[in-house]
Amino acid sequence: MLTLQMKDAPLIRDPLSRAGCGHASRGVSGGTPPILDQKTNSWKKLVNVSVTGATGMISNHLLFKVFGQDQPIALKLLGSESSVHALEGVVMELQDSLYPLLREVSIGIDPYVIFEDADWALLIGAKPRGPGMERAGIVDINGQIFAEQGKALNAVASRNVKVIVVGNPCNTNALICLKNAPNLPAKNFHALTRLDENRAKFQLALQAGVFYDKVSNMTIWGNHSTTQVPDFLNAKISGRPVKEVIKDTKWLEEDFTITVQKRGGVLIEKWGRSSAASTAVSIVDAMRSLVTPSSEGDWFSTAVYTTGNPYGIAEDLVFSMPCRSKGDGDYELVQHVAMDDFLWDRIKKSEAELIAEKRCVAHLIGEGNALSDLPGDTMLPGEM
Amino acid sequence: MLTLQMKDAPLIRDPLSRAGCGHASRGVSGGTPPILDQKTNSWKKLVNVSVTGATGMISNHLLFKVFGQDQPIALKLLGSESSVHALEGVVMELQDSLYPLLREVSIGIDPYVIFEDADWALLIGAKPRGPGMERAGIVDINGQIFAEQGKALNAVASRNVKVIVVGNPCNTNALICLKNAPNLPAKNFHALTRLDENRAKFQLALQAGVFYDKVSNMTIWGNHSTTQVPDFLNAKISGRPVKEVIKDTKWLEEDFTITVQKRGGVLIEKWGRSSAASTAVSIVDAMRSLVTPSSEGDWFSTAVYTTGNPYGIAEDLVFSMPCRSKGDGDYELVQHVAMDDFLWDRIKKSEAELIAEKRCVAHLIGEGNALSDLPGDTMLPGEM
């Protein structure tokens, strides 16, 4: 049992040290025992959750939401040199929240330290696109970060680490990351499209006039960008195909898709900042989907490695597809989903975008020189 | 059953309308039924939770944490004219989070609308003290807001509404609020000292080298300010008096107290902003303490109306004291707590501060003209 501790820790002098938690209290009587797993009747092992961009808005929500019912957690938070003081502030707020399942917090600026033995790596930190910056520019800048983090994961993370990339462009960042981590299963790398799935479910529920828990089988295909494809062909409302419940085909084909694709941008316009709370909620949803058996007949969306996919999507990309899990942290692609020309055309457009992004980061994935031919008009979600 | 709905709502043209939720879908088949209460075997009634300062940082955390296990909630969010767009953004993020227990969201800028039938009123919004502003100045400015909100609660809230004041100076704001709501029970007004309690528990656990769930009976006495009194005389660690476990009296009397009192200010220094996530966590803790039976022998801290208190604290103040609840939303003051000179001297200092604050807002509580004789050196928590 470890208490959170940061007082007197050599945080500023040596930000690489495990500063967030002291081991001094290990074995002190009166400590909290580990949690007894009801199913297996064995003590639950502490799970290491590494989080990058730990002082950003998304993480600030996520860190206070990540606790489940009975899984003790150690948080390992990666910041930058300029954010070390803010990281200490995050730790203070976590301490003052008295989460019974939070057993350790470490902070640092070196991914080789913070990713050590990580069971989960939530890669949230990324630079936002500045004014006048080309999409190709931000793809390259962030790509460098994710190449470095992939190498660090490859070197020090748990051999079965699950990686969820949130920092944009998240699909291509996830591809860069997995290519730089050849000793880890490529299958374990995800890019987050769960917020898009949640947004699509809400819009369908709103249009159908039902509560959102009636919407199931919601796939987001492709890139977490404005080319993403919310799939209303396979989605269901109260167990019936969406098209049987919502007869307005024009709404489905145009309004629905555009609303979901541009939701992030509208939110920025309203709020003056990008979604943080709902992104954090969707990260927790994504994790829960991997550690909870999927409901009979249902699935969830996550962008994963395409090699071996049954849909005919180009291999060697990270592409959002429908998945199911037995709740063991692993997943399988759903085998038989319907496809029609409308859906397939859109999927191909998102695929083309991802292939272009990939050419743009060829130098980061060991495929020669970068070729930046990204169409200038595609945006990251959340950009107007 | 109601879905969240804001599309096409006349939000900007008429921000007073119930814009966040449409009733269009009420009765649509496939809706979610209310939740069956396991204990009473009856359907759980929707609880109305009104929140002010709904676009601020604390609320932005709170709104995504307020959901429990089985209590359906309607959120009613109060903003200002300048924050209506941001309020719409908050609603969008709540929608996209698909909370199964969130059944309605309304937004508006008129407390007489937003407090209608409120079962809980979480009064978070308040102006922060600007550079060079006297404490008396901010007490007066915020006092006006809470007088108005008290009148609105008095007029339209549930007759059994529980009010938790978070906006600073929260004790005096709560006093102003209850004085302006003569038709509501004064007992139902709280000022939040739960974050102070949580901080005190963490510090004692850290010093004793135990996990924080071993710390109980932690009272914060007095004002939520730097005169607050974290009570180590009555607190326990693993069921034993703190003074038996922590022998370092100097640490208890000096370091401990100062650390808790100034924690908010240190956090601002580190983080560049005041605590939001941990404040939100403590608001949820405070609510949970009132709707969950208190553990045998334990208690929690909340600042409540002093009239009739058994400790000899001046009447007609809002003062943090030890309380227990049967879990029905109500509470009782703990009757027999130990007192010594050290503790009593400090309690009297915090009492004196609150009496001075009260004189400063006499015009807002029907007691004649304000007299501003606040000592200049007291600060609000979170201020350096």
Side-chain angles (χ1 to χ4, degrees), chain A residues 57-62 65 195 267 271 273-284, chain B residues 60-61 63-64 90 93-94 96-97 99:
Chain A
M57 287 290 294
I58 295 171
S59 295
N60 197 235
H61 278 276
L62 176 68
K65 280 186 212 311
L195 179 56
L267 189 79
W271 219 163
R273 60 171 185 72
S274 59
S275 55
S278 56
T279 303
V281 167
S282 76
I283 294 169
V284 175
Chain B
N60 198 236
H61 278 276
L63 295 174
F64 295 82
V90 172
E93 287 214 77
L94 284 167
D96 294 341
S97 296
Y99 286 109

Side-chain angles (χ1 to χ4, degrees), chain A residues 170-183:
Chain A
C170 63
N171 293 54
T172 294
N173 288 341
L175 183 69
I176 293 166
C177 203
L178 74 87
K179 290 284 184 180
N180 284 277
N183 299 334

Side-chain angles (χ1 to χ4, degrees), chain A residues 105-169:
Chain A
V105 185
S106 338
I107 63 178
I109 62 171
D110 181 350
Y112 285 82
V113 174
I114 292 300
F115 292 163
E116 201 179 333
D117 298 326
D119 299 299
W120 292 86
L122 310 177
L123 308 186
I124 297 171
K127 283 204 193 306
R129 180 152 69 169
M133 192 184 288
E134 291 294 314
R135 182 172 165 96
I138 195 71
V139 168
D140 180 57
I141 289 170
N142 280 322
Q144 310 272 2
I145 296 172
F146 287 88
E148 175 68 12
Q149 293 185 353
K151 290 188 181 98
L153 287 166
N154 194 53
V156 300
S158 155
R159 296 302 87 185
N160 196 29
V161 62
K162 312 302 182 205
V163 182
I164 300 182
V165 177
V166 179
N168 282 319

Side-chain angles (χ1 to χ4, degrees), chain A residues 184-320:
Chain A
L184 298 174
K187 196 186 180 193
N188 287 4
F189 289 74
H190 301 254
L192 186 78
T193 54
R194 185 55 170 265
L195 179 56
D196 306 306
E197 176 186 331
N198 289 354
R199 287 168 169 170
K201 281 182 165 174
F202 175 73
Q203 293 301 326
L204 289 177
L206 184 63
Q207 183 72 9
V210 301
F211 202 63
Y212 29 64
D213 63 353
K214 299 300 165 197
V215 183
S216 65
N217 303 82
M218 185 70 240
T219 311
I220 301 292
W221 295 93
N223 198 3
H224 175 63
S225 77
T226 51
T227 69
Q228 66 174 273
V229 187
D231 172 358
F232 55 85
L233 179 65
N234 291 290
K236 292 178 181 171
I237 295 175
S238 301
R240 296 165 60 204
V242 164
K243 286 172 133 181
E244 282 182 21
V245 181
I246 299 175
K247 307 284 190 186
D248 185 345
T249 307
K250 182 173 169 300
W251 182 87
L252 282 172
E253 293 189 353
E254 294 174 25
D255 302 5
F256 167 63
T257 304
I258 290 169
T259 300
V260 174
Q261 287 169 339
K262 299 205 166 163
R263 182 84 164 167
V266 174
L267 189 79
I268 289 181
E269 210 176 45
K270 296 275 187 201
W271 219 163
R273 60 171 185 72
S274 59
S275 55
S278 56
T279 303
V281 167
S282 76
I283 294 169
V284 175
D285 287 345
M287 295 172 78
R288 193 186 296 113
S289 286
L290 292 171
V291 297
T292 313
S294 304
S295 301
E296 180 67 33
D298 200 4
W299 62 65
F300 56 90
S301 302
T302 179
V304 289
Y305 196 50
T306 50
T307 296
N309 80 85
Y311 315 113
I313 295 160
E315 307 234 314
D316 207 33
L317 295 175
V318 171
F319 203 88
S320 189

Side-chain angles (χ1 to χ4, degrees), chain B residues 9-230:
Chain B
L11 190 64
I12 291 126
R13 290 184 297 281
D14 175 12
L16 304 189
S17 71
R18 176 183 272 232
C21 55
H23 291 235
S25 63
R26 191 195 286 276
V28 167
S29 66
T32 298
I35 303 281
L36 193 64
D37 184 321
Q38 294 194 326
K39 261 193 259 175
T40 61
N41 209 27
S42 61
W43 298 111
K44 279 217 162 187
K45 189 177 157 285
L46 194 64
V47 160
N48 291 319
V49 181
S50 298
V51 181
T52 75
T55 57
M57 286 290 294
I58 294 171
S59 295
N60 198 236
H61 278 276
L62 177 68
L63 295 174
F64 295 82
K65 279 185 212 315
V66 76
F67 308 102
Q69 294 298 314
D70 59 359
Q71 176 58 62
I73 283 178
L75 288 175
K76 299 155 78 83
L77 310 181
L78 186 72
S80 60
E81 254 175 270
S82 62
S83 70
V84 167
H85 285 287
L87 270 182
E88 293 180 297
V90 172
V91 174
M92 289 173 70
E93 287 214 77
L94 284 167
Q95 293 171 333
D96 294 341
S97 296
L98 308 182
Y99 286 109
L101 291 169
L102 177 57
R103 299 305 165 83
E104 272 187 62
V105 186
S106 340
I107 64 177
I109 63 171
D110 182 349
Y112 285 82
V113 175
I114 292 301
F115 292 163
E116 204 178 330
D117 299 326
D119 299 298
W120 292 86
L122 309 177
L123 307 186
I124 297 171
K127 282 203 195 308
R129 180 153 70 167
M133 193 184 287
E134 290 295 313
R135 182 171 164 98
I138 194 71
V139 169
D140 180 60
I141 288 170
N142 280 322
Q144 309 271 2
I145 296 171
F146 287 88
E148 176 69 14
Q149 294 185 352
K151 292 187 179 100
L153 287 166
N154 195 54
V156 300
S158 156
R159 296 301 86 185
N160 197 28
V161 62
K162 313 300 183 208
V163 182
I164 300 181
V165 178
V166 180
N168 282 320
C170 63
N171 293 54
T172 294
N173 288 341
L175 183 70
I176 294 167
C177 203
L178 74 87
K179 290 285 184 178
N180 284 277
N183 299 334
L184 298 173
K187 196 187 180 191
N188 288 3
F189 289 75
H190 301 253
L192 186 77
T193 53
R194 185 55 170 266
L195 178 56
D196 306 304
E197 177 185 331
N198 289 354
R199 287 168 169 172
K201 281 182 166 175
F202 175 72
Q203 293 301 325
L204 288 178
L206 183 61
Q207 183 71 10
V210 301
F211 202 63
Y212 30 65
D213 64 353
K214 300 300 168 199
V215 183
S216 66
N217 304 83
M218 185 70 241
T219 312
I220 300 294
W221 295 93
N223 198 4
H224 174 64
S225 77
T226 50
T227 68
Q228 66 174 272
V229 187

Side-chain angles (χ1 to χ4, degrees), chain A residues 65-78:
Chain A
K65 280 186 212 311
V66 75
F67 307 102
Q69 295 299 314
D70 60 0
Q71 176 58 62
I73 282 178
L75 289 174
K76 298 153 81 82
L77 309 180
L78 185 71

Side-chain angles (χ1 to χ4, degrees), chain B residues 222-369:
Chain B
N223 198 4
H224 174 64
S225 77
T226 50
T227 68
Q228 66 174 272
V229 187
D231 173 358
F232 56 84
L233 179 64
N234 290 289
K236 292 179 181 169
I237 295 175
S238 300
R240 296 165 61 204
V242 164
K243 286 171 134 183
E244 283 182 20
V245 180
I246 299 174
K247 308 284 191 184
D248 185 345
T249 308
K250 183 175 170 299
W251 182 86
L252 283 172
E253 293 189 353
E254 295 175 23
D255 303 5
F256 166 62
T257 304
I258 290 169
T259 300
V260 174
Q261 288 169 338
K262 300 204 166 163
R263 182 86 165 166
V266 174
L267 189 79
I268 289 180
E269 209 177 44
K270 296 275 188 202
W271 216 165
R273 61 171 184 71
S274 58
S275 56
S278 55
T279 303
V281 167
S282 76
I283 294 169
V284 175
D285 287 345
M287 296 173 77
R288 193 184 297 116
S289 286
L290 291 171
V291 298
T292 312
S294 304
S295 301
E296 180 69 29
D298 200 3
W299 62 66
F300 56 91
S301 303
T302 178
V304 289
Y305 197 49
T306 50
T307 296
N309 81 84
Y311 316 112
I313 294 160
E315 306 234 315
D316 206 34
L317 295 176
V318 171
F319 203 88
S320 189
M321 300 181 283
C323 297
R324 288 180 50 82
S325 176
K326 295 191 180 72
D328 54 358
D330 202 4
Y331 65 90
E332 54 197 27
L333 297 178
V334 175
Q335 291 296 320
H336 302 289
V337 293
M339 198 64 71
D340 63 12
D341 287 346
F342 181 87
L343 180 57
W344 186 244
D345 283 354
R346 297 205 166 193
I347 286 175
K348 293 302 279 184
K349 284 200 185 84
S350 203
E351 181 194 81
E353 184 182 49
L354 280 168
I355 290 169
E357 284 188 17
K358 186 179 164 185
R359 276 197 296 270
C360 183
V361 298
H363 58 304
L364 297 172
I365 57 176
E367 298 192 358
N369 294 326

